[in-house]
Amino acid sequence: EVQLVESGGGLVQPGGSLRLSCAASGFTFSGSSMSWVRQAPGKGLEWVSSISGTSRITAYADSVKGRFTISRDNAEKMLSLQLNNLKAEDTAMYYCATGWGTRTSIPAIQSIGTQVTVSS
C-alpha cells in the first residue's frame, strides 16, 4: 500500500522560505518518478514539479520555476521541495504524489498534504 506523508508546511511572510518533505513507503521509491501538486483555496489541483527516479530529470511549472527546487533521497525514501521567495499566490495545500506530472496531466492525490500559507 502506497503511503505518503507530507510535512514542513506553515505560515511564512512573503519572500520567505519553507522546505517541504514527503516520507514514502509501500512501493519501490527509487524506481518511481515523484511529483508535488498543490491546491489553492477554491481552486483546482495544480501540478508544481516532478523528478525522475534517479533525480536526473526535473520539471517545474512556470509559476514556480526559479523559486522552487525539487529533490529526493532514495536511501531515505524522502521527497523534498524547497520553496524560496514565496508569494501570496503560493498559498495552498501541497501534496506529494507518485508519477510524473505536467500542467495538463496531474498525478492522483493519495495523501493528506501539508498547508503552506504566505501572508504578512
Side-chain angles (χ1 to χ4, degrees):
E1 178 187 1
V2 173
Q3 290 196 339
L4 302 167
V5 180
E6 301 93 343
S7 61
L11 173 64
V12 62
Q13 293 185 342
S17 298
L18 282 174
R19 186 174 182 85
L20 307 183
S21 297
C22 172
S25 63
F27 64 104
T28 305
F29 183 74
S30 60
S32 300
S33 296
M34 296 294 295
S35 297
W36 286 97
V37 176
R38 68 185 181 184
Q39 186 168 27
K43 297 188 176 181
L45 294 172
E46 178 188 14
W47 168 74
V48 175
S49 181
S50 294
I51 186 169
S52 65
T54 62
S55 300
R56 289 184 62 187
I57 303 172
T58 59
Y60 298 90
D62 288 344
S63 58
V64 307
K65 198 172 295 183
R67 300 188 298 120
F68 291 7
T69 302
I70 192 170
S71 62
R72 64 190 295 161
D73 183 334
N74 285 345
E76 297 294 327
K77 299 184 181 180
M78 292 289 290
L79 177 72
S80 297
L81 187 69
Q82 178 68 38
L83 291 64
N84 295 331
N85 190 21
L86 282 159
K87 305 176 181 181
E89 52 263 42
D90 294 318
T91 294
M93 187 70 78
Y94 283 72
Y95 305 91
C96 64
T98 59
W100 189 264
T102 66
R103 184 178 63 84
T104 57
S105 179
I106 301 172
I109 301 305
Q110 302 167 285
S111 56
I112 294 174
T114 187
Q115 177 70 41
V116 172
T117 302
V118 184
S119 175
S120 55

